[in-house]
Amino acid sequence: MIDAEVQQLEERVQRLIAAFRQARLEQKRALQERDRLLALNAELRRRIEGIVDRVRSLESESEHEA
């Protein structure tokens, strides 16, 4: 009887360990995806700011010519 209970506990511990490892792996992947998206967002922000600066420059040039 004790052996069966110990066996059940060992199986439960193994399942918990496996679930913990899976959760840790998923967290690592989520953090990597977050970092990738943050880098992409920063690059897009830089490009948009460059376009806005260029448009302002063109508007300024056209105002001086007019």
Side-chain angles (χ1 to χ4, degrees), residues 2-16:
I2 278 282
D3 290 341
E5 290 175 359
V6 168
Q7 179 65 30
Q8 287 177 348
L9 285 173
E10 287 178 354
E11 290 172 2
R12 185 171 180 202
V13 166
Q14 291 303 315
R15 286 194 304 271
L16 287 171

Side-chain angles (χ1 to χ4, degrees), residues 9-58:
L9 285 173
E10 287 178 354
E11 290 172 2
R12 185 171 180 202
V13 166
Q14 291 303 315
R15 286 194 304 271
L16 287 171
I17 290 171
F20 175 74
R21 287 180 179 155
Q22 181 66 29
R24 212 167 43 179
L25 180 62
E26 290 174 7
Q27 180 186 27
K28 180 181 177 184
R29 288 181 183 153
L31 290 174
Q32 288 173 336
E33 181 66 4
R34 180 205 62 188
D35 292 344
R36 184 186 74 80
L37 291 172
L38 285 172
L40 179 60
N41 186 53
E43 175 62 23
L44 291 172
R45 185 179 304 274
R46 281 190 294 273
R47 289 183 184 190
I48 290 168
E49 288 171 353
I51 291 168
V52 168
D53 288 344
R54 181 66 179 141
V55 168
R56 285 183 180 149
S57 173
L58 291 172

